Amino acid sequence: MNIIIIEDELRTARALVAIIKEIQPDIQIRGILSSVQAAVDYFSKDTDVDLIFMDILLSDGHSFDIFEEVSIQQPIIFCTAYNDYMTEAFKVNGIDYILKPFNNEVISHALDKWQKLQQHFISTNSA
């Protein structure tokens, strides 16, 4: 599984990487993007990602600005300090909404949810 993390706080991004790798060491972290512009540039060229962890408030704007520039089809787990954006998050492929500070348990739950949804859609499509 390939994951991209969109997070402007390097310490938080590193903590998220460490937790994800502890839970599922075989996951590949394809990169950490720290801004709206970096995400737009990345998704304009490369979409070989299975899952996105995304903060909402980035150094150069809201992560929702990304969706105005590029089409993102992958599921997104939002990790944010703000509970005000939950409704909007689920309108743009959000499958979970985690409030900071996060821990192993909530990240593990979010990854399990993604895998259950993935298995559901794989079995539905092959039936």
Side-chain angles (χ1 to χ4, degrees):
M1 170 179 9
N2 294 316
I3 291 178
I4 279 289
I5 296 172
I6 302 173
E7 169 63 64
D8 64 338
E9 296 173 12
L10 187 56
R11 179 184 221 160
T12 301
R14 287 181 177 162
L16 183 56
V17 169
I19 290 171
I20 291 169
K21 294 299 262 179
E22 182 179 327
I23 295 167
Q24 292 189 16
D26 58 323
I27 288 177
Q28 297 298 310
I29 306 297
R30 304 254 320 181
I32 298 170
L33 308 173
S34 62
S35 67
V36 169
Q37 190 58 54
V40 168
D41 292 346
Y42 181 87
F43 286 103
S44 294
K45 299 172 191 152
D46 189 356
T47 58
D48 188 23
V49 174
D50 301 303
L51 180 64
I52 302 166
F53 278 83
M54 184 181 287
D55 190 8
I56 290 181
L57 293 181
L58 301 171
S59 60
D60 61 345
H62 285 81
S63 60
F64 301 115
D65 298 337
I66 298 166
F67 301 96
E68 294 176 12
E69 301 292 326
V70 292
S71 175
I72 296 178
Q73 302 302 315
Q74 294 85 351
I76 301 165
I77 297 171
F78 285 91
C79 297
T80 183
Y82 304 94
N83 62 4
D84 303 341
Y85 302 98
M86 194 176 299
T87 302
E88 194 167 351
F90 286 103
K91 291 179 183 177
V92 291
N93 298 350
I95 62 165
D96 211 335
Y97 196 93
I98 297 168
L99 291 176
K100 294 176 183 175
F102 48 78
N103 58 33
N104 289 41
E105 183 180 342
V106 295
I107 299 299
S108 181
H109 180 268
L111 288 169
D112 287 344
K113 182 178 182 178
W114 178 80
Q115 289 174 326
K116 287 175 187 175
L117 286 169
Q118 183 183 37
Q119 287 302 316
H120 169 75
F121 288 111
I122 288 172
S123 35
T124 301
N125 287 337
S126 62

